[in-house]
Structures are given as structure tokens and as C-alpha cells.
Amino acid sequence: MLPSSCIHSILTLSLIGHATALWKGFNLPANNPSGSCKSQEDWAHDFSVMQSLPGRFSSARVYASSDCNTLAAAVPAAIASGTTLLLGVWTEDNAHYEAEKAALVQAIQQHGTSWIIAVSVGSEDLYRGDTDAATLARQINEVRGLLCKLGACGIEVGHVDTWTAWVDPKNEDVIRACDFVGYPYFEGSNIEQGYNDYEKNLKKTRDTVNRVKPGVWVWVTETGWPVSGGMLGSAVASVSNAEAYWKGVACEAFSNAHTFWYTLQDYLSSPSFGVVDANFKPLFDLSCDRLLVGLSTGSLRVYRVNEVIDEAPAQHGPAAEDQRPSSSSKPNAVDLMREEEKFSKHKVEQLAIVKEANLLVSLSNGVVSIHDLQTYQLQETLVKTKGATAFAVTSNIVKDSPTDVPLIVSRLAVAVKRRVILWSWHDSELHPDTSELVLVTGVKTLTWATGTKLIAGLTSTYVLVDVETSVVTDIIGPGSIGGAPGQDGGRFGGVGVSTISYMGLGGVAPKPLATHLGEGEMLLAKDINTLFIDTDGQSLGRRQIPWAVAPEAIGYSYPYLLALQATRGTLEVRNPETLTLLQTISLPSASQLHISQPYISLAHAGKGFLVLSDRCIWRMGALGYDSQINALVDRFRLDEAISLLGMLEDALLMDKEGRLREIKMLKAQTLFDLRRYREALDLFTEVSAPPQRVIQLFPPIIAGPTSSPSKASDNTKDADEYAKELKATQVEPENSELDEKISKDIGSIRRSTDGSRTASDDAATSSVAGSQPSDSRPMLEGKDLKAATAELRPFLVSARTRLQRYLNPDGTLRDGQARSNTAASNVQEAQELLLAHVPDSHEERRQQMVETAHLVDTTLFRAYMFASPSLAGPLFRLDNFCDPDVVKEKLIETGRYNDLVDFFYGKGLHQQALELLERFGKQEQRDETASQLAGPQRTVAYLQNLPPEMIELILRFVSWPLDENPELGMEVFLADSERAETLPRQRVLDFLEKKDRALAVRYLKHIIQELDDRTASFHQRLAEDYIEGLRQQGASGKPAPPGWEKDALNFLRSSYNYQPFKALQMLTADDPNLYEARAIVLSKMGQHRQALDIYVFKMRNPGKAEDYCNQVQLAEISTATAPRQGQRSSATDLEDKTTSIYHTLLSLYLSPPPPHKPQWGPALSILAKHGARMPASSTLDLIPEVLPIKDLESYFRGRIRSANTIVNESRLISSLRSSMAFSEEAKLRLGDGIPSGNGGRNRHVLITEDRVCGVCYKRFGGSAIKVLPK
């Protein structure tokens, strides 16, 4: 036991196993080890031995009912000792089967049913092949019917068989017939693999059963390890192995499932599985709850935590509490089993267990060490972890990707400054590779989110680390969690309390805390800031926990959230969904919270947790889940009952769905009567309450004619009582003056239970417990009406969403609903929406849907106008079924013209909307009630949303915005939207031409350049507008708009869709402003000489003339037929070609028409740059004899260089072709050398002295083989 004074300086601890309210015991045969049948005294002795063992086993499994008069002898002894029995009924042959049923009937008639846990019909019949699934299922139902005739319908009936039988699809009828499934396991694996095989096969069984019949529990009805008898397969029979299997499997199974061990005593058998010897003394340590306590001295103390029976096991049978005697002897709370004084040289800072690998992990003096879990001897010091501050372990069943075989993978993560170092064990074998990740700042805490994702609490933030991919994701949260608080950030605005503590007051930075919650959820907490996230690090958007002071530690004990307030010496127990404070437990000087790491089998095992101070350790537990629900309903704490039901798994409760719906409906109605409108409407939404049922609770100002008469009534007293019941009860743990006692709190809800309570009683009373809702409701008015209306709106929005599954915006049924009336889920939802049977007629059904939609949308509009008129606008921007008369009257009455415009738009009343916009938009003095409608902005936005079919309306009402703000008005036609692009362009263009030519040009530029419109009339129109602009520029002398001339010339040059001859008619030859435009148009007509004449003689711009020639030459090259491969024209080839554009330009320079003179400089420049592109003979004919030969040097050099280039290229191409031919021939003859490629026609080539190369034609000789490069 603990020393006389409380433990000093406790730094860390770990709890192995934990006893819970589940059936646990041994398999007991009907024969003594000698073979004789057991008498009543023998049975009584066995029961006494079980109850004296650590764990206080008070249940047993018997294999038969009639063999050796099992029930006749065992039942009186069981009742006398308070032992309950899992009965067996053999089905081997009809005679034996009938005798078994008769013995069962006789025992029940004589002794009642309080001693019965359940009945197992047959044992491993399917595994042995003694029967088939259909026969066994029929026998199970027969026994169930037999029990019902005896008034014991509540007793569960099932079958025990191997996992191989349960996962066989042909046996699924047996699963469907069972109330529970029994799992016996022993396969002869070695002890190292025994636990893993047990877990994996149990998981396979559970997965199959939950798929076939959800909610059915799998009981561990028979498993054990031989203590003697040699080898069984790979299993070595020994006491040490049996103890290891007990510690690894039994201790966990006792806390996870109803478990019956094989066996208590069979010392004369070989192999022998008994846990006690011939004198009924334990062969090994049978304690399960071991408390490992690490001290500041470096010692490790191991305590055995004894079972204290203070409540009956969970009701999975009809046994009553008052019929179960309890043992009068009360054991010590703990016993000191051993102390390892040299466990560590320094204080032990942290302990954890890798149970699957039989390891104990410790942190001491900044170094992590690995110890054997049974002997506590040091196995290895992880040198890499020097400087470690924390570590975390996890174990999970995963499938090996190559083999698809399930493996148990355990991982250890250690925080060393900025690093996270990872080790892993696969099926208890240490993986040779370790990985290491470096984070941005120092790591303070580590918490596993999943089997592969890790939450690291850093100095100033949190990160999510994927240990498989090494991806690090920042977690953004409020206040000190890690990100700047926004709208839903910290509770105190932009600066969290933690910021004040660090910077203003110089306080110590709180440790970043993290804990698991339900499936896929986690909680992060730093200072008083909290953040709920999923396992991907994404915020769940839930509100923060209202902590007044920062907790020292947080944890999760299914299904409650725990927070240790060290400064106050209290432990808070909260509902993690509602965040309601359920209980505050006074634990003076408590400083640490320890929750056992979740095991693989089940997360909901109801495991307890530990709280410790410098001197004491408290062990905490909980009531059964059905008892907690009953207590909450009886005390009218309906919201907490609902939340608890939602969190608990189906298998943990009886008729979960039925109870949940009944309680929610009761709570919703009651809360509404008690003016708790938000909760009421949330529940109505959750249960998909019919809209009419909820709407009629409101007065006519909201509900209109749907409102039902109501009376004023005073429910103040009920409301006060209900509010008091909602307050968290304050329960303190028992004070013990004995320092060695570990206090145990009975759970989150303490209450007294009177007598017995059956499952049927629970289901019948849970829905009516507490005060019933009043038939008369208080009149809603004033603040109450506003509050209720505010909560009504989300419900109506939800109802609209449900209706949209059935209705199209035009009031027709959606295709799937119109075609089929048989979908059960659709019919059920329609009934909930319509408050009536769904009509068979398609038209009647559609009409009722439309009426409901009218009711919902019109009521939602009234609710918005009453409580928050500003929210009415968004409703009109969606498809709606609002009553137009009601809406129009209300909006005009309140002067909400902006919303009226939106409503007109939604209903297609566009002309009325635009007239309203024009009236308010043109007002010089703004109307305060319609300030948003002032100016053309609102009209333009409205017009942009009209379809192209309404072009007349658009052109009619766009006129005044174009007058007031042309730039804004043109957005109707130029906006980057589908509707603007699909407007009738000719209509728009005609309209803009009349309005302003500049606007028309802008629109033409938009549709041609931006929308790539190639309509010839548009291009011609834009060309004429450009030319007219250039003409007016010359006539008036005023400069054109910026970029006008450039845009005009680019368009005339790039467009091929206008008619050049029409454009040329507008371009006079004597207008300098039109010279270049005329040249471009002449070019389009192929009149290159006339175009060059303008550049050379009128514009006197040799550069533009040369650029013109370059463009023409490039165009001719791109359109000319490509020459054959390898063919290139020589200089002499050009003699026969048509005169080039450069030749034309040269002729204008050297032989100009009168009165112009030759231009030698530009001519020589053309000859130097482009002489090779011109025919030599005709070019030389143009050169006058007076021109010195030396001036033509550049021309001749260019000609020679061009000719040489052609010759060299021809030679190079010929050489490359020869090499290519040789390479191809080699591939054909010898292959390509690629595996599985072309093998070649001939793999052998004879090289002789006379053989010559096929490329260079040189003789090889006897020296070497030459290889040409590819």
C-alpha cells in the first residue's frame, strides 16, 4: 500500500488497464479436475475463489444447462454468492438440445432470472461444421421464444463461434438472429504475436457484425494461454507467457467488452490453461490495474489498484441490483507491488506505454528511455533524444499496402528543441528507420491526432505534422492559439489575454495544450483561448470554452471534456458539444491530469482517469451510460441528455434513436414555451419539423392567417425550475483522511437509483419525464417576439432548402420527384414538410409543395421585415415563392425601395424596377429612404443582369446613364459577362451611332478586338469611322484623340474583313493625314508600287518604305508553297522568278518618275541588305553606269555569301543524310539495342581486311572498327 504519508513530488504516472462496469469472469466446466461432476459446494467454492482474486470476478460462463446437473447445482451457489452466469445450451443432437432447454426452464421457474447474464445457444458449432447457419438461427430464435414464454424476453440470446465462422458470409443469418456474438480465441501464435493476432481477428469480427447487424456487441467469451503442456503450434506453454498474455489481453478486454477467461482451474489437463493451481492459488499476478508512479528521486513505484465494487455491471440482462449481494469484505484501495529505486538517476518527467510492443517509455533528464513493461528493466536509451521536452505514443491497426494484411503499428514521437524524432513498431517489431522533422520554433507539447498525424504545440503556435509525408501545416486560431483573431477569433477582440500577460505583465507563457475529443475532433487550448479542429487541422468553427482562468491540463474521458484548474484546485467536467459545465469537483492542490492512452479495441470503454497533486492521487470513474441518460431526463436536463445520446455509440445504449427523437421533440416544445427560442428552433430544425407546425406558434404579424389562437399563461415558475436544472451540479469527491486511499468519483452525474429499472421502462419513461409542455402558450410580443422571430429565420431557411429538393423555381416538381412516387426517404420527408399524406396525383402533390413553399418564403419575409429588414434584400436575390401582394405592400410601407427593386427583379417585373430606378436616380436631391438608388450606378448594374431578349428595355433605359456618365453607361455593353457579349450587336451599334460616334467606335473596337467578331459590316463600319476621324483631323486642324491615328492604322493593316476599295474611295490622294492610311489600303489591294510611291515620294520616309517591303516579303514567304525537303533556291534561281518587292523599291530609288531625282543612299542600303533577294540581271540593269563599283561592294559580298551558304548547307544535309541512312541500316541489320526492342535482321556481321566503311569507303584493315556518331 501507499506509505503512511502521501506521495511527495509525484511528477508523472501511467495507468495500465482499468476495471469498468462490464461482465467479467471465467469459463467454468461442470466437472472437477478429477472428472467428477461438481456439487453445489464445489460451485460455491469456485465462485468464492473468483471473487477473492484481484479484480473481484463475480461472473462466470457455463457451457451447458443439463450436463452434470450444471444449473441445478450452480444456480443456488451463484445466487448465494452474488455471481451471475452466462448460460450455455448445447445443440449437438435433438435429445441433448431438448434436455438443455428443459433444464433451463426448470432453473428459471425455481430461481427466477436475476442470476442470468445471457444465454449462448451452441458453441463453435459452425467452426466444427456440426450444423448450418439456418438451423442454428432457428434454434436461437426458439430459445428466445422459450424465454419470452417464461416472462424473460429481456434476456439476450446469442451464439459463440470462432472469428473464421463469423466473417464467413454464409453465416450472416446467425448474426442477424443474435443479440450478442461470442468470440473465442486461441490460435497457437507465439507470445510475441499473440496479442496482435487477438486484436486483428477481434476487429475483423466486429467489423463483420457491425456491417450485418449494427449495434450488436461482440463478447470475448473464451480466450487464454496455456501454463503447461509443451507447444501448441507456435505457442509455448509457460506461466510467464500466460502472465504476459493476461497482462496484454485480459486486462484490456475486461475494460472493453464482456469477457470470460479460459479458465479458472484445470491443473490435471494437458495443456492446462488454469490460472490457479490445485490449491486455488494464483499461478501468476492476476492484477490488471497497475499504477506506475515516477518520482522526483528517479524511482518507479508500481501499485496494484484493487477493484472497488460500488455499482452493478451495465444492464444487458434483466438482473436487478437489489438481488445481487455484494462482498462484505472491502479491500485496500491500492497495494505497493514493487519499487524500482534505480529506474532513473534523475526525476521521472513522463511515462507512457507501448502495450503492443510490451514497452514502457520514460522521459528523464531530457532523455527518452525504453524499458520492458513487465520487468521495468532498461532496454535502450535513445541517444538522439538528448534535450527532449516531451513525447507521445500511439498504436493503430493499418493494412500493409503490398500484402493488404492488417498490422498493428505503434509510433513514438519525441520533441527535442525544434526537432520531432519518430520511431515505429510494426507488429511489436522496431522498425529500423527513424525519421526526423525540424519545425520553426521549439516544440513544447506533442499530441497524436491520428495514427499518422501529430499536433505539435510550439512556442507561439500549433502545427499539424504528417509523419508519413513530412508535410507541416500551420494551424490558425484565435488569440494565442496561433493566428490573428478575426470575427470569430479571441473573445476579447484583437488582442488576447495571453498577449497582455506576456507583454504587459510579464507573466509566464502558458503551455500549449491539446486533446482528442470525439471521432475526428481535437481541442487546442492556450491560456483561455481554445480552438476546435478536425484531424486535418481545419477549424470546426465552434465557439470557445468560457474558461475564466487558463487550465493547467485538459483531457477527454469518453464522452466528457476535462479541464484541471490548478489555481482553483478544481476539476471541471464539461459536455464537449454544448460546452456546458456539468460538474466542478474540488481537488485541493491538484496539478496534473492523466488519461490512459486509447487502446486499439474500443475508444468508448468508459475508462477512468487520474488526477494528482503533490501528495494525493484521485481515481475517477463514471456511471453506466443508460443510467446517466435516465438521470438527466428524470431531472429534466433534456439538452444534456440529447447531447450525450448524440455522442455515445449505438451499441452502448438501448433504443438510442427512439429515445433521442422523443427527448428532442419534448425539449423543443418545452423550450419554446419557456422562451428558450434558439434551442427550440435548433431542435425543430434537427428533427425536420413540419414548417406549418412551427409557424403556427407565432402571432399573425409573422405567421399571417396560419397563426393559431394562443392564450397568455404564466410559465415563470416552470422556466425558473428548468433554468435551475440546467445549472451544473457541484459534486465533490469523498474526503478520506487516509493518505493511502485513491479517491474515486462516481462520474459526471451523481444520483440515487431506487430498485431496478428495465430497458422497456427506460424507453417508456424517457420521453415523458419531467414537466409536459403546456397546452396554452404565452402571447408572443415585444422582445420575446423579436427573439423568437430571430430564431425562426434559420429554421425557415432550412425548410426552404428541403423544399428545393422537390421544387423547381417555376413551381414544377423536379424530374426525379415527378417520375417516381416510391422512394421511401422522399415520401417520408414530404410528409414532414406537408403535414399530410403525400397525394398519389402528381398535380396535387405539386400544388401542396407550392403552397408550403409560399408559406415558408412569405413567413420568412415577414420575419425579416419584423426583426431585421436589412436581411430581406438577399431573400429577393434568390428564387422565392413570396406572396407578391404581401411583399409589395410591406416594402412600400417601410420605404425599402432598394429591396423592392430586388423583388421586382426576382419576379421579372423589370420595367417597374427600371422606372423606379430612373425616378430616384435622376433626383438632384437625394431621398434618404432611397439613397442607394441615387445616380446611374444602380440602373447600370440592373441592366447588366437583364437577358439579351430584353434589348428594347435595355436600350430604352440605358440612355440616361450614358448622358450622365458615358464611361459607366458603356459598361452595360462592354462588361466582361456573358449577357453583355450576347446582346444583339447590330441593334446596340445603331443605337450608339445615334447617341455618339465615339461610343459606337468604342463598341466596335470592343466586339472586334476583344470578342473577335469577324462580321464584315462591323469591320467596314469601324474602318470608315477611323478614316472619317482622320479626315476631320486634317480638315479642322484639331488633334485626334490620343492613340486614334495609331489604332486606325493598326486596324487597317491587321483587318482582312473590310472592303479596301470602299475605304480607298474615302482616302483622298492629296491629304497628308491620309497618306499612310492610303498606302495601307493600296497594299491590301495588291498595289504595292503605288503604296511605295507614297512612302518614297510623298512621305519621304525610306524607313517606312523598307518596313513595308519587309512585311510584304514575309507575307509572301508564309503563303508560298514550301519547297521539297533539302531544296533551297540558289541565286541564279531568282532570275526566273517574278520581280520582288525590293526590286520595285530599288527601281523607285534609281529610276524615279519625273520630276523626282534618284536617291542613291537609300538605294545602296537596299542593295546591301536585300540584294541577294533580287534577281541579279535585272538588278544590275537598274544600276546606272555612273555609279562607282566600290559603292557596290556590300551588294556583291552579300550575293557571294548567300551563294556559299546555300552550297555549304547542301553539303551538310547530304552528310547528315548519309549518316542517318547508315544508322537506319544498322538498326535494321543489328537491332536498336533496346530490351524487347527491334532485334534486327542480322545480329552477326563479318569484318574482313577488305571490308570498307559504307559511309567513308575506307578499308577497315585489321586495326579497329570505326563508329560514326549519330
Side-chain angles (χ1 to χ4, degrees):
M1 62 178 62
L2 291 174
S4 57
S5 59
C6 275
I7 300 174
H8 289 77
S9 302
I10 299 179
L11 296 174
T12 185
L13 65 159
S14 182
L15 181 65
I16 306 178
H18 181 64
T20 58
L22 295 168
W23 305 113
K24 60 178 183 178
F26 290 89
N27 288 264
L28 299 180
N31 302 87
N32 291 310
S34 62
S36 61
C37 292
K38 287 182 179 178
S39 64
Q40 181 174 335
E41 290 74 17
D42 293 329
W43 285 106
H45 185 263
D46 285 351
F47 298 152
S48 176
V49 170
M50 289 194 313
Q51 294 182 6
S52 67
L53 296 176
R56 309 297 175 183
F57 300 97
S58 59
S59 302
R61 177 193 175 205
V62 295
Y63 300 108
S65 296
S66 61
D67 296 356
C68 273
N69 294 319
T70 298
L71 296 188
V75 174
I79 294 175
S81 62
T83 303
T84 51
L85 302 178
L86 170 58
L87 309 181
V89 174
W90 285 107
T91 60
E92 288 178 337
D93 57 73
N94 287 335
H96 194 186
Y97 176 51
E98 294 300 326
E100 291 283 280
K101 291 193 292 183
L104 176 61
V105 170
Q106 182 179 3
I108 292 176
Q109 290 175 340
Q110 290 182 356
H111 304 289
T113 60
S114 63
W115 48 277
I116 301 177
I117 298 174
V119 178
S120 170
V121 179
S123 179
E124 301 187 15
D125 302 74
L126 300 174
Y127 168 72
R128 294 190 304 269
D130 293 344
T131 186
D132 57 74
T135 301
L136 183 56
R138 176 181 55 79
Q139 292 172 326
I140 292 172
N141 289 324
E142 283 181 1
V143 173
R144 183 180 292 109
L146 180 65
L147 293 173
C148 283
K149 291 180 180 178
L150 297 172
C153 292
I155 295 178
E156 294 186 353
V157 181
H159 173 69
V160 175
D161 225 308
T162 62
W163 72 270
T164 55
W166 291 126
V167 300
D168 191 339
K170 68 174 182 283
N171 296 329
E172 290 182 357
D173 286 344
V174 179
I175 297 177
R176 296 186 184 96
C178 288
D179 299 320
F180 74 94
V181 163
Y183 169 77
Y185 176 79
F186 182 77
E187 289 196 349
S189 303
N190 59 48
I191 188 61
E192 290 78 12
Q193 198 63 25
Y195 171 80
N196 295 340
D197 289 346
Y198 162 85
E199 281 288 348
K200 288 186 285 190
N201 295 329
L202 178 59
K203 185 178 186 299
K204 293 176 184 176
T205 305
R206 283 193 173 120
D207 291 345
T208 302
V209 172
N210 288 331
R211 175 180 55 82
V212 176
K213 190 176 181 182
V216 172
W217 272 37
V218 177
W219 298 13
V220 181
T221 51
E222 192 173 342
T223 189
W225 195 276
V227 295
S228 62
M231 297 281 290
L232 289 175
S234 299
V236 178
S238 69
V239 172
S240 61
N241 285 348
E243 181 176 9
Y245 192 72
W246 174 276
K247 300 296 185 184
V249 173
C251 292
E252 181 176 341
F254 290 149
S255 63
N256 288 337
H258 303 308
T259 304
F260 299 88
W261 200 255
Y262 185 83
T263 181
L264 180 65
Q265 184 192 60
D266 64 346
Y267 59 90
L268 293 180
S269 301
S270 182
S272 171
F273 284 77
V275 299
V276 298
D277 60 15
N279 298 318
F280 294 94
K281 300 298 183 182
L283 292 170
F284 51 84
D285 178 21
L286 296 176
S287 62
C288 280
D289 286 359
R290 283 181 291 163
L291 181 63
L292 308 184
V293 182
L295 304 182
S296 59
T297 60
S299 299
L300 176 73
R301 291 184 180 179
V302 183
Y303 295 95
R304 178 174 59 231
V305 181
N306 297 318
E307 183 71 8
V308 180
I309 302 176
D310 54 2
E311 59 172 312
Q315 288 290 336
H316 286 273
E321 296 179 13
D322 56 355
Q323 295 175 312
R324 294 213 187 110
S326 59
S327 176
S328 58
S329 60
K330 189 173 182 180
N332 294 326
V334 293
D335 294 316
L336 178 61
M337 299 171 59
R338 63 188 295 179
E339 181 171 357
E340 295 287 335
E341 295 184 354
K342 298 182 180 180
F343 182 78
S344 173
K345 295 181 179 179
H346 305 274
K347 66 179 180 181
V348 183
E349 300 170 6
Q350 187 179 352
L351 291 175
I353 297 163
V354 184
K355 187 171 186 179
E356 294 69 32
N358 197 39
L359 299 175
L360 175 63
V361 185
S362 69
L363 173 62
S364 180
N365 194 34
V367 178
V368 175
S369 302
I370 304 297
H371 308 260
D372 185 271
L373 184 57
Q374 303 302 324
T375 64
Y376 311 111
Q377 296 301 308
L378 177 65
Q379 291 188 347
E380 180 181 2
T381 298
L382 304 180
V383 180
K384 289 185 177 181
T385 64
K386 186 175 181 180
T389 55
F391 67 82
V393 298
T394 184
S395 297
N396 300 273
I397 294 180
V398 298
K399 287 188 177 180
D400 183 56
S401 53
T403 63
D404 204 33
V405 174
L407 300 173
I408 296 183
V409 178
S410 303
R411 287 187 169 91
L412 166 65
V414 183
V416 182
K417 298 180 181 178
R418 292 173 50 199
R419 296 178 298 152
V420 177
I421 308 176
L422 297 158
W423 286 265
S424 64
W425 289 262
H426 293 194
D427 276 349
S428 74
E429 295 293 331
L430 178 64
H431 198 274
D433 297 332
T434 61
S435 57
E436 183 175 318
L437 297 170
V438 180
L439 304 181
V440 292
T441 60
V443 183
K444 302 300 182 184
T445 58
L446 292 174
T447 306
W448 286 100
T450 67
T452 59
K453 293 182 179 180
L454 188 68
I455 297 288
L458 309 182
T459 303
S460 59
T461 185
Y462 289 85
V463 294
L464 178 69
V465 180
D466 190 319
V467 300
E468 290 187 332
T469 64
S470 300
V471 174
V472 179
T473 305
D474 291 329
I475 298 176
I476 306 301
S480 57
I481 292 294
Q487 182 176 358
D488 56 351
R491 300 202 299 276
F492 301 99
V495 179
V497 172
S498 58
T499 307
I500 299 174
S501 174
Y502 304 149
M503 302 179 64
L505 303 181
V508 178
K511 184 170 62 174
L513 307 176
T515 184
H516 280 279
L517 296 177
E519 185 68 24
E521 293 185 11
M522 295 197 72
L523 172 65
L524 308 182
K526 189 171 184 182
D527 204 333
I528 62 170
N529 292 296
T530 58
L531 179 66
F532 291 90
I533 62 171
D534 59 19
T535 53
D536 293 325
Q538 300 300 315
S539 172
L540 298 177
R542 297 174 56 184
R543 67 185 179 93
Q544 296 198 44
I545 300 175
W547 281 326
V549 295
E552 181 71 20
I554 60 174
Y556 179 72
S557 181
Y558 184 88
Y560 298 108
L561 172 64
L562 310 172
L564 183 62
Q565 303 284 0
T567 57
R568 297 183 174 183
T570 59
L571 176 70
E572 290 187 356
V573 181
R574 291 181 182 269
N575 183 323
E577 288 189 349
T578 65
L579 306 185
T580 303
L581 180 61
L582 300 175
Q583 186 178 13
T584 300
I585 304 172
S586 176
L587 299 171
S589 303
S591 58
Q592 293 189 39
L593 176 65
H594 177 82
I595 300 174
S596 299
Q597 61 206 56
Y599 295 128
I600 294 172
S601 301
L602 285 176
H604 60 63
K607 297 180 174 67
F609 57 95
L610 300 174
V611 182
L612 64 152
S613 67
D614 289 341
R615 298 180 57 82
C616 295
I617 302 174
W618 293 269
R619 184 187 182 198
M620 319 300 284
L623 288 174
Y625 298 122
D626 281 307
S627 300
Q628 294 182 41
I629 298 298
N630 293 337
L632 291 170
V633 174
D634 289 345
R635 298 169 63 179
F636 214 61
R637 300 188 66 179
L638 303 180
D639 48 355
E640 298 306 327
I642 291 170
S643 179
L644 183 57
L645 280 166
M647 291 186 291
L648 295 174
E649 297 182 14
D650 294 352
L652 299 176
L653 296 162
M654 304 185 67
D655 190 23
K656 172 182 173 179
E657 292 300 325
R659 298 188 69 184
L660 184 60
R661 183 172 177 82
E662 288 298 326
I663 297 174
K664 284 183 177 180
M665 294 298 292
L666 172 66
K667 176 178 168 56
Q669 182 66 56
T670 305
L671 288 178
F672 193 90
D673 292 342
L674 297 176
R675 299 179 177 87
R676 301 287 293 274
Y677 305 116
R678 173 170 297 182
E679 292 113 316
L681 270 297
D682 285 347
L683 284 182
F684 278 131
T685 301
E686 186 177 334
V687 299
S688 299
Q692 185 175 357
R693 178 176 178 180
V694 179
I695 292 171
Q696 67 184 5
L697 300 175
F698 289 80
I701 191 173
I702 301 297
T706 307
S707 177
S708 62
S710 61
K711 304 176 184 178
S713 63
D714 186 9
N715 282 357
T716 305
K717 182 177 179 180
D718 291 339
D720 291 343
E721 292 177 357
Y722 185 60
K724 291 178 181 178
E725 292 293 340
L726 290 176
K727 292 181 180 178
T729 56
Q730 304 293 325
V731 181
E732 295 186 2
E734 298 176 359
N735 280 333
S736 173
E737 298 298 326
L738 298 176
D739 290 336
E740 69 271 18
K741 178 174 174 139
I742 296 182
S743 302
K744 179 177 180 181
D745 186 79
I746 301 302
S748 63
I749 303 294
R750 279 187 178 270
R751 71 183 188 94
S752 301
T753 55
D754 298 327
S756 62
R757 184 172 189 144
T758 65
S760 59
D761 294 335
D762 292 343
T765 60
S766 62
S767 62
V768 297
S771 304
Q772 295 294 332
S774 175
D775 292 335
S776 61
R777 299 188 307 279
M779 177 67 72
L780 281 176
E781 54 188 5
K783 293 182 179 180
D784 285 339
L785 179 57
K786 279 195 172 184
T789 303
E791 303 307 330
L792 174 66
R793 294 183 314 220
F795 171 80
L796 295 176
V797 171
S798 175
R800 292 185 81 247
T801 303
R802 300 203 308 269
L803 279 166
Q804 288 171 0
R805 300 175 189 170
Y806 300 95
L807 282 177
N808 290 311
D810 60 357
T812 59
L813 286 177
R814 293 192 182 274
D815 292 341
Q817 304 303 321
R819 291 194 302 265
S820 174
N821 296 329
T822 59
S825 60
N826 291 340
V827 170
Q828 179 181 0
E829 186 168 2
Q831 289 173 338
E832 295 172 349
L833 287 169
L834 299 175
L835 289 176
H837 176 68
V838 179
D840 295 330
S841 167
H842 166 77
E843 181 58 29
E844 290 180 2
R845 181 151 45 92
R846 186 198 68 80
Q847 184 61 32
Q848 290 197 25
M849 287 287 185
V850 171
E851 291 176 359
T852 304
H854 276 298
L855 174 63
V856 170
D857 285 357
T858 305
T859 305
L860 182 58
F861 166 71
R862 289 194 182 100
Y864 281 143
M865 293 304 297
F866 174 78
S868 301
S870 60
L871 298 178
L875 174 64
F876 305 139
R877 300 185 188 105
L878 305 173
D879 295 320
N880 63 81
F881 290 89
C882 291
D883 188 330
D885 295 334
V886 174
V887 173
K888 185 175 180 180
E889 176 186 356
K890 201 71 175 177
L891 292 179
I892 293 177
E893 175 186 337
T894 56
R896 302 193 66 82
Y897 298 105
N898 188 50
D899 292 338
L900 184 57
V901 170
D902 291 334
F903 178 70
F904 282 150
Y905 179 83
K907 292 300 180 182
L909 305 175
H910 302 300
Q911 183 170 340
Q912 297 182 43
L914 288 168
E915 289 174 350
L916 187 66
L917 287 171
E918 184 176 7
R919 189 182 76 183
F920 286 103
K922 288 184 175 181
Q923 289 180 350
E924 295 183 0
Q925 295 183 353
R926 289 193 175 187
D927 190 336
E928 293 300 329
T929 61
S931 58
Q932 293 179 334
L933 308 184
Q937 291 86 352
R938 190 73 168 83
T939 299
V940 170
Y942 193 100
L943 292 172
Q944 286 177 325
N945 287 287
L946 292 182
E949 296 79 18
M950 311 191 83
I951 185 61
E952 294 292 344
L953 201 63
I954 294 173
L955 296 180
R956 173 184 168 186
F957 286 95
V958 77
S959 181
W960 75 269
L962 286 173
D963 293 337
E964 291 199 6
N965 190 338
E967 187 72 22
L968 179 62
M970 282 299 293
E971 287 299 312
V972 175
F973 310 115
L974 306 182
D976 185 14
S977 66
E978 183 180 356
R979 293 194 171 183
E981 294 175 4
T982 54
L983 290 173
R985 294 172 182 174
Q986 189 63 50
R987 296 287 306 279
V988 175
L989 186 58
D990 293 341
F991 170 79
L992 292 176
E993 282 284 1
K994 297 176 183 179
K995 197 75 175 172
D996 187 344
R997 185 173 61 85
L999 297 179
V1001 171
R1002 183 178 177 188
Y1003 181 69
L1004 283 169
K1005 290 170 59 179
H1006 173 74
I1007 62 176
I1008 291 173
Q1009 298 174 3
E1010 300 293 335
L1011 305 183
D1012 196 24
D1013 192 319
R1014 301 185 182 183
T1015 304
S1017 61
F1018 292 159
H1019 284 253
Q1020 186 67 36
R1021 202 161 181 173
L1022 181 56
E1024 293 174 356
D1025 284 338
Y1026 273 136
I1027 294 172
E1028 184 62 28
L1030 294 174
R1031 290 175 59 185
Q1032 292 180 2
Q1033 175 185 356
S1036 64
K1038 296 180 180 180
W1044 180 277
E1045 181 178 0
K1046 181 179 179 182
D1047 292 344
L1049 297 178
N1050 288 338
F1051 174 75
L1052 292 173
R1053 186 180 294 112
S1054 62
S1055 175
Y1056 293 90
N1057 294 4
Y1058 66 90
Q1059 297 179 356
F1061 70 92
K1062 287 187 177 181
L1064 187 62
Q1065 294 174 2
M1066 301 179 64
L1067 296 167
T1068 57
D1070 56 351
D1071 189 347
N1073 293 314
L1074 302 179
Y1075 283 162
E1076 188 168 2
R1078 184 177 177 85
I1080 292 172
V1081 173
L1082 287 171
S1083 173
K1084 292 286 185 180
M1085 300 172 66
Q1087 303 295 326
H1088 300 303
R1089 189 173 185 86
Q1090 297 181 35
L1092 288 172
D1093 186 273
I1094 294 174
Y1095 285 118
V1096 173
F1097 300 116
K1098 291 186 177 182
M1099 297 180 64
R1100 297 183 179 276
N1101 194 328
K1104 287 192 174 183
E1106 184 179 353
D1107 290 341
Y1108 178 85
C1109 292
N1110 292 337
Q1111 294 174 8
V1112 173
Q1113 179 72 11
L1114 290 174
E1116 290 177 352
I1117 292 175
S1118 63
T1119 56
T1121 304
R1124 294 190 303 272
Q1125 185 176 7
Q1127 177 181 355
R1128 174 161 177 163
S1129 301
S1130 64
T1132 58
D1133 295 335
L1134 297 174
E1135 302 294 338
D1136 300 328
K1137 289 188 175 181
T1138 304
T1139 303
S1140 72
I1141 187 66
Y1142 297 105
H1143 190 277
T1144 303
L1145 178 59
L1146 183 63
S1147 67
L1148 289 175
Y1149 283 142
L1150 298 178
S1151 302
H1156 304 290
K1157 296 180 179 180
Q1159 301 181 31
W1160 304 110
L1164 292 175
S1165 176
I1166 291 297
L1167 284 172
K1169 295 179 181 178
H1170 307 289
R1173 297 187 176 94
M1174 295 182 286
S1177 60
S1178 58
T1179 301
L1180 293 174
D1181 291 341
L1182 291 174
I1183 300 174
E1185 295 180 357
V1186 298
L1187 187 67
I1189 294 298
K1190 65 178 182 179
D1191 292 340
L1192 297 176
E1193 180 182 358
S1194 298
Y1195 167 69
F1196 289 121
R1197 285 183 181 276
R1199 296 287 301 190
I1200 295 171
R1201 188 180 296 111
S1202 176
N1204 290 338
T1205 300
I1206 292 173
V1207 172
N1208 293 335
E1209 287 184 359
S1210 299
R1211 291 175 178 174
L1212 180 60
I1213 290 173
S1214 176
S1215 177
L1216 290 174
R1217 284 190 172 183
S1218 299
S1219 178
M1220 184 182 299
F1222 179 81
S1223 177
E1224 293 299 323
E1225 183 180 2
K1227 286 182 180 179
L1228 291 173
R1229 291 182 179 275
L1230 304 177
D1232 53 17
I1234 300 175
S1236 302
N1238 180 20
R1241 297 175 183 175
N1242 188 357
R1243 298 295 296 173
H1244 305 282
V1245 179
L1246 180 62
I1247 303 295
T1248 65
E1249 292 185 357
D1250 298 330
R1251 186 71 180 264
V1252 296
C1253 176
V1255 177
C1256 64
Y1257 302 105
K1258 294 182 179 179
R1259 188 167 63 86
F1260 287 115
S1263 59
I1265 296 176
K1266 299 178 180 180
V1267 179
L1268 288 177
K1270 295 181 180 181

